[in-house]
Amino acid sequence: MSRHSLGSGQAVVASLVTIGRALGYSPEEEWTIPATAQAVDVVWWRRPGDRLPILMFEVETRPGDGLAVNAVKLLGKDADRLPKPLHLFHIVVDGGTQSARPQDVAATFANHNYSVHLLEDDNEPNQLLRQVLATHARIADDLDGAGLGLALE
């Protein structure tokens, strides 16, 4: 996957990196999946040098075929080859509220700690943040509220 060429996708990627740092992770953009030419838009490493990232984020500008393709590139691989992340957040920047595709993909991979977030829906940015923080709470006992507040500005 290539870097996002549209400003809306770039802004979401930059926000994910900033929030990841505020939560104490080591974020990385365009992480290449081992033994492939495929990349993930943003990953959060628990610690630098870990073998695999703990959280992954795919960002789509629109809810096209990339939803299913990008979910399969991560969740469709044998766990011995690519252990699954604690959670894969799939974010759609524009559209999707009138399409069945996001719901279909989310239902297909629901058992894999996978979720689709349509930012065009007014409630979804808050829902995404709540789910990220709930996942973070499974890993860490503390939260730098001031740092997170600054990251969200």
Side-chain angles (χ1 to χ4, degrees):
M1 170 158 227
S2 61
R3 291 192 179 272
H4 286 270
S5 59
L6 297 178
S8 56
Q10 291 171 348
V12 170
V13 167
S15 294
L16 291 168
V17 169
T18 301
I19 292 167
R21 280 195 188 110
L23 292 174
Y25 298 97
S26 295
E28 181 179 340
E29 291 181 46
E30 293 298 318
W31 175 69
T32 302
I33 299 169
T36 75
Q38 299 171 312
V40 179
D41 291 326
V42 178
V43 298
W44 290 358
W45 299 91
R46 183 72 181 109
R47 289 172 214 83
D50 281 354
R51 187 173 149 259
L52 291 168
I54 196 152
L55 298 174
M56 297 182 181
F57 301 84
E58 276 293 339
V59 178
E60 307 292 341
T61 303
R62 299 207 179 281
D65 293 338
L67 274 172
V69 170
N70 284 326
V72 167
K73 83 177 175 187
L74 293 164
L75 302 175
K77 291 190 177 18
D78 181 36
D80 289 337
R81 184 170 159 221
L82 179 67
K84 306 305 178 248
L86 184 59
H87 199 93
L88 169 58
F89 297 92
H90 212 149
I91 301 166
V92 179
V93 179
D94 297 312
T97 58
Q98 302 298 316
S99 171
R101 185 176 286 136
Q103 292 83 6
D104 291 346
V105 174
T108 300
F109 295 104
N111 293 330
H112 297 279
N113 293 328
Y114 170 84
S115 56
V116 175
H117 302 274
L118 308 174
L119 297 186
E120 191 169 275
D121 181 327
D122 290 338
N123 296 321
E124 195 57 42
N126 290 332
Q127 185 67 14
L128 171 61
L129 181 59
R130 277 194 293 275
Q131 191 163 6
V132 167
L133 292 175
T135 304
H136 172 72
R138 294 175 59 193
I139 304 164
D141 292 329
D142 60 348
L143 175 73
D144 177 4
L148 180 60
L150 289 172
L152 294 173
E153 286 187 338

